[in-house]
Amino acid sequence: MGKGFYISKGVAVGGVVVAVAALSTIIALSVVYSQERSKTNGSDGEATVGPTNAPPTPPPSNEPWDQYRLPTHLVPENYTVMLWPRLTPDPDTGLYIFTGESTVEFECVEETDLILIHSNKLNYTSLENGQLARLTSKSPQTAPSITQSWLQTVTQYLVLRLNSKLVKGQRYQLYTKFTGELADDLGGFYRSEYFEGTEKKVIATTQMQATDARKSFPCFDEPAMKAYFFITLRHDVDKVALSNGAAVETTTVTVDGVTVQQTVFERTEKMSTYLLAFIVCDYGYVNSTTGGVLIRIFARKPAIDAGQGDYALSITGPILKFFENYYNSSYPLPKSDQIAIPDFNAGAMENWGLITYRETALLYDPEFSSNSNRERIATIIAHELAHMWFGNLVTLRWWNDLWLNEGFASYVEYLGADDAEPTWNVKDLMVLNDVHRVFAVDALASSHPLSSKEEDIQKPEQISELFDAITYSKGASVLRMLSDFLTEEVFTRGLQSYLKEFAFGSTVYTDLWKHLQTAVQETGTDLPANIDAIMNTWVLQMGFPVVTIDTVTGVVSQQHFLLDPDSVTPPPSPYNYEWIVPIRWMKTGAVQPPRWLQAKSETVNEMKTTGTDWVLANLNVVGYYRVNYDTANWNKLLNALSVDHLIIPVINRAQLVDDSFNLARAKIIPTVQALDTTKYLDKERDYMPWKSAINNLDFFYLMFDRTEVYGPMQTYLNTKVAPLFQYYKEQTGDWANVPGGHLDQYNQVNAISMACKTGLAECTALVKSWFSDWMTTGTNRIHANLRTTVYCNAIAAGGVAEWNFAWSKFEEATIAIEADKLRYALSCTKEPWLLNRYLEYTLDPVKIRKQDATSTIVYIAENVIGQSLAWDFIRARWSYIFNEYGGGSFSFSNLISGVTKRFSTEFELQQLRQFKEDNAAVGFGSGTLAVDQAIEKTQANIKWVGENKNNVLNWFEGANTP
Ligand SMILES: *[C@@H]1O[C@H](CO)[C@@H](O)[C@H](O)[C@H]1NC(C)=O
Ligand SMILES: *[C@@H]1O[C@H](CO)[C@@H](O)[C@H](O)[C@H]1NC(C)=O
Ligand SMILES: *[C@@H]1O[C@H](CO)[C@@H](O)[C@H](O)[C@H]1NC(C)=O
Ligand SMILES: *[C@@H]1O[C@H](CO)[C@@H](O)[C@H](O)[C@H]1NC(C)=O
Ligand SMILES: [Zn+2]
């Protein structure tokens, strides 16, 4: 799936730090099993059966159908699937449903008298002898007969017992006829709704990953069970029907007296079930062709008419070309469709040939979209297109290797976006968006290694839990490091031969290492060890090192970096928390030959310094580690920042800030030394160091915005940001023009948001005047780049009139990108009653779409006034929220970590523990780990505040009195 679903870059870049949030994944509802036990009459008059005929004996837990993994006796080869979604509710039941028929042809590779095929929430029509399926043989011998059939709901199987064994080497066909609900649950075959004017439109669409294909039709729903699919969709005459393959034939058929259209799609390539997609909608599109590949962007008709698909269309062709070249492999399909879905829980989903997106991740409008929205579109398209090969053509065999699939796409998305938008320097941003962000999670004792054991990942919710920051951002970070020390040339050489060998097949992650190792040998690349040996230290143990360089003795050493060294001891690691560390470095501004650290500690004479020379390591932060130095070297680096900061590369200026603040958190250096790195910021004009500082100061705001440190901190930061604010005021001709560079545009947003946040009167007056201009004239003249921060600060400074105005604009917004900005800004009010009302709105899907509920609650919790309101709110309604919104979704861990982020008192810790205890029976689903992490973080915060409050207060007061 597309990354970006655990962070809303649009808002994060809006200068208001939202470290978690938005865009989560499948609400799989995989643990919310409905108790469908009784017989009923289907709408077509035939008898359909829910999970009936319970297993013959009370479930002994070791039967094959109690295992979550499929047995290996049967291998699917091709499926013929017809699905018919009804876009109006059934008049009798009021339910939206779909009906379907499926025939799967499979080969028996080991004899067995049991067929297990995945099926979830489907009701089956009884066939011969009352069985739920019909089995036929492809050979002259007749097939065994089905003696018993039932639905095993917990493990999500349709189970068929046979009167004799299937024969090894023979092919069989299994036919079923079924009904499912087209629910608004964002998983499997589901329903999305929107209004065109006053007319309600309904879309039938899918989200299969990870385990919901089985909610659309019975299938062997594991990624390695690749097969060919012959898909047919039935739909109303005027609708668009889409699937992975191109439509090859459309006919009109009359079924049960109803005339419908039937669209047949070309056979797919051999593929995994989780990459299937079926859509029926009333959309428009724009199209083009690149190198013989048909490219189409689909969206609501008004959005297409307004040109909102044009940007995506213009970059898709070039990015496809880029990846064809990068992978040395032609795009494997004849067409590439991309479609924006109003209700979509992930950021995007790489269905082969039919990629689905949130509207904000695909649709661009120059009037409404900021440069950050545009960047997100470019990177997420690149991410999904990268998967067309890496993930779809070659697929990891099981979900435990998800990190390689998602980490890889999260790395190369920057390469694809950079190719499409070469002036942006977008590759640099990976350090902020991925490396620094995941460091925060991976520095906890409760982190986990990138790679999981296959046997540990079985249940759907265990699979869902893997879609986290470690998988995406750490995966991307270590692959970027690997590509850097191999060189991009060697990296792509190995990658290309890997894709050639395994096309249409499945792999484990070490298959990639083998191909890279071959490329290393063929090119004579010099490495200190095999790729396997180097990468195991990064992949098989959690966390990362802090490398300490003593420039007096030349001793370079490493140590597992833990944000809270006093927390629970991390579990033992097979590599003793030592890594094989590539070190790129410079001395006093001059780049030096790279080094490796291969032991706990080594002496590197070249790193000794004398006089004013200094050492700076991890150039451009290509290595996945932090760096510490002896005090003298730190002082020389701080001096370099204050005298001529440009001598230090911009990414490393961001690193010095981020590393110091985190080393201070871990008590490796004093907190005041970290604060010292912010002293030069009045001279800094670049985005990355500012963003890094703001991200780190966010923690200070969280810990201190309810204490006496707040005032002096505000005064200090105000003096640092005021020059930046003036700089942009001049650069833009008194805010009339847009800065030229992409990153300059971002930093303009930082300037305004920090200036307003620290109470610069000129800033508050400016945003209020812009907002009231909109309120009085009805014309919004606020530039799209600035809207998030301007709306937020104007609403914070205003009252109910501003809030209600923004709410009405939110309700009217016809483009999701604008609605998202308003949805965030509405959380900025200082009025508790407005915040409470807004919290209530989050659980009303008519007001706030389900996909946005958890992120909205987190936004409210970010607000110092909203914090306790949001916490009370989720505590009071946990079981409801969990059942409606939770299940297997990882937005849930964001909800918990977001709402508890400010926790730093004993009382809050006690409440959190109580919350865990009180809801043990309901559970936390994919948020289980997040609850423990929140407890760990709260404990660390309590200690940190106790140890630092006085020092920090004194430091700010000292800095404010020159
Ligand atoms: C199904 O798959 C088998 C094996 O790949 C193939 O021989 C057979 O022709 C396929 N059936 C159809 C209808 O294409
Ligand atoms: C499936 O069967 C159950 C139990 O009879 C029923 O409650 C449910 O509505 C049915 N679902 C559909 C989509 O028909
Ligand atoms: C785009 O679609 C239109 C309408 O179906 C068609 O006439 C045109 O040839 C297509 N253009 C390309 C480049 O495929
Ligand atoms: C793969 O590389 C070879 C050699 O450079 C080149 O001739 C070929 O066109 C490339 N294929 C693709 C699909 O890029
Ligand atoms: Zn992905």
Side-chain angles (χ1 to χ4, degrees), residues 35 86 164 205-206 245 305 316 345 388-389 438 455 463 480 495 501 506 679 735 774 802 850 923:
Q35 298 299 308
R86 310 298 203 284
S164 66
T205 185
T206 51
D305 294 343
T316 297
N345 217 7
M388 297 298 112
W389 290 260
V438 73
E455 60 269 27
I463 297 168
R480 170 170 170 266
L495 174 66
E501 178 177 345
S506 317
K679 280 190 160 161
W735 311 108
W774 184 20
E802 284 76 10
K850 273 191 171 183

Side-chain angles (χ1 to χ4, degrees), residues 756-793:
C756 281
K757 182 168 186 167
T758 58
L760 190 75
E762 186 181 347
C763 181
T764 311
L766 183 71
V767 300
K768 280 172 80 172
S769 72
W770 283 342
F771 198 81
S772 71
D773 174 69
W774 184 20
M775 285 176 72
T776 49
T777 66
T779 307
N780 187 350
R781 280 184 275 259
I782 306 162
H783 191 275
N785 287 352
L786 307 181
R787 284 184 179 180
T788 301
T789 188
V790 170
Y791 295 173
C792 173
N793 284 293

